[in-house]
Amino acid sequence: MNISGNMILITGGGSGIGEALAHRLHDLGNTVIIAGRRVEALEHVASSRQGIHALPLDISDAADIAAFAQRVVAEHPALNVVINNAGIMRFETLDQTRDLSDAEATITTNLLGPIRIADALIEHLLARPDAVLINVSSGLAFVPLAATPTYSATKAAIHSYTVSLREVLKGRVEVIELVPPAVQTDLTPGQANREGYLPLADFIDEVMALFQQQPTPPEILVQRVAFQRNAEAEHRFDEAVTTLNDAVRKAREKQR
């Protein structure tokens, strides 16, 4: 991946990891398009920065994605990098019958959203030089958090889907998976200040250093996420599930 001179689309660019990526990639000489539902948040990220463009997008709406893809290609034909970052994380209870709207929204946003974005833009990317598709998964793709089971499942699915994309697009579009650990963002209530989570600035520093390696790794793995990514290969999966879930439960209880 070329680290500068790109036109980059980042979904979920109004806050958290998306906002941080937008600013850091812009600093390196890229033009950045940020997309999301909250227009005011997008405009705040883009403010005072020529070369960051804000476009509304409802990642949960298939028709809106199709219309957005047509608009972004028409207005920014040099687009050559797509980062599927938008996502939601909802806590769920599995030991009783419940309203499944949170699970359904999570699947629509976290799994169908990136699939639809990739599908809508793949022919454009195939026609662009130095094209890159980046999917943001999670350490929870490899060791799930029981309190967010559908989120964890969608991220496992995104990992698998990314592997398939990489195989099919080999030599034509570079496919990269960015795998965050637990990072201090506003993804869930209280998470931005949760003890034991990786500060966002530290995470982005490490991510940008990995992006600048040549060749770019197919998986962007900060050191903190190795605990989850390598758990099964290192024959400690069951232990990792227990350790992770206990640690998150205690951190959340401490904030109450």
Side-chain angles (χ1 to χ4, degrees):
M1 175 181 173
N2 293 331
I3 201 61
S4 64
N6 302 292
M7 179 162 284
I8 302 172
L9 167 65
I10 304 175
T11 66
S15 63
I17 291 172
E19 177 183 6
L21 284 173
H23 284 166
R24 294 294 293 272
L25 288 166
H26 182 254
D27 289 342
L28 290 172
N30 298 286
T31 301
V32 180
I33 306 155
I34 51 174
R37 299 174 186 170
R38 297 179 298 134
V39 175
E40 288 185 4
L42 296 173
E43 291 176 346
H44 175 74
V45 174
S47 63
S48 303
R49 283 181 176 257
Q50 289 188 341
I52 295 186
H53 308 276
L55 293 179
L57 169 65
D58 183 351
I59 198 70
S60 69
D61 187 316
D64 197 50
I65 289 174
F68 171 84
Q70 290 183 341
R71 177 184 177 185
V72 75
V73 168
E75 295 182 4
H76 304 281
L79 174 69
N80 70 308
V81 179
V82 174
I83 303 179
N84 276 313
N85 168 73
I88 60 173
M89 187 176 193
R90 305 277 174 81
F91 291 95
E92 303 171 66
T93 302
L94 297 182
D95 57 359
Q96 61 187 39
T97 303
R98 58 199 167 95
D99 179 355
L100 291 176
S101 57
D102 279 345
E104 292 166 356
T106 301
I107 292 168
T108 301
T109 300
N110 295 4
L111 181 56
L112 286 179
I115 290 173
R116 286 167 171 162
I117 287 284
D119 180 71
L121 293 172
I122 191 59
E123 291 184 0
H124 174 79
L125 290 176
L126 284 166
R128 296 296 307 162
D130 302 318
V132 184
L133 177 62
I134 301 171
N135 287 334
V136 178
S137 62
S138 169
L140 298 181
F142 305 96
V143 177
L145 180 62
T148 60
T150 308
Y151 177 89
S152 301
T154 59
K155 293 303 184 177
I158 283 295
H159 166 69
S160 178
Y161 199 80
T162 304
V163 172
S164 295
L165 282 170
R166 186 179 298 120
E167 182 64 22
V168 171
L169 299 174
K170 189 181 300 181
R172 297 186 290 168
V173 176
E174 186 173 3
V175 177
I176 298 170
E177 181 178 356
L178 171 57
V179 189
V183 178
Q184 290 180 341
T185 69
D186 291 319
L187 182 61
T188 63
Q191 185 171 322
N193 301 301
R194 190 161 294 151
E195 184 178 314
Y197 282 33
L198 184 62
L200 178 58
D202 294 345
F203 170 71
I204 292 298
D205 283 346
E206 199 171 346
V207 165
M208 296 310 299
L210 290 167
F211 270 129
Q212 292 179 74
Q213 289 183 2
Q214 293 297 326
T216 308
E219 293 183 2
I220 302 297
L221 302 166
V222 301
Q223 290 184 2
R224 182 75 68 90
V225 84
F227 168 76
Q228 291 159 279
R229 180 65 182 93
N230 300 331
E232 188 165 6
E234 294 174 355
H235 307 290
R236 51 176 180 80
F237 178 78
D238 291 343
E239 177 187 353
V241 170
T242 299
T243 299
L244 173 77
N245 281 273
D246 285 350
V248 172
R249 176 180 51 79
K250 290 174 182 176
R252 291 181 64 209
E253 288 175 351
K254 193 171 183 179
Q255 287 185 307
R256 291 173 183 167

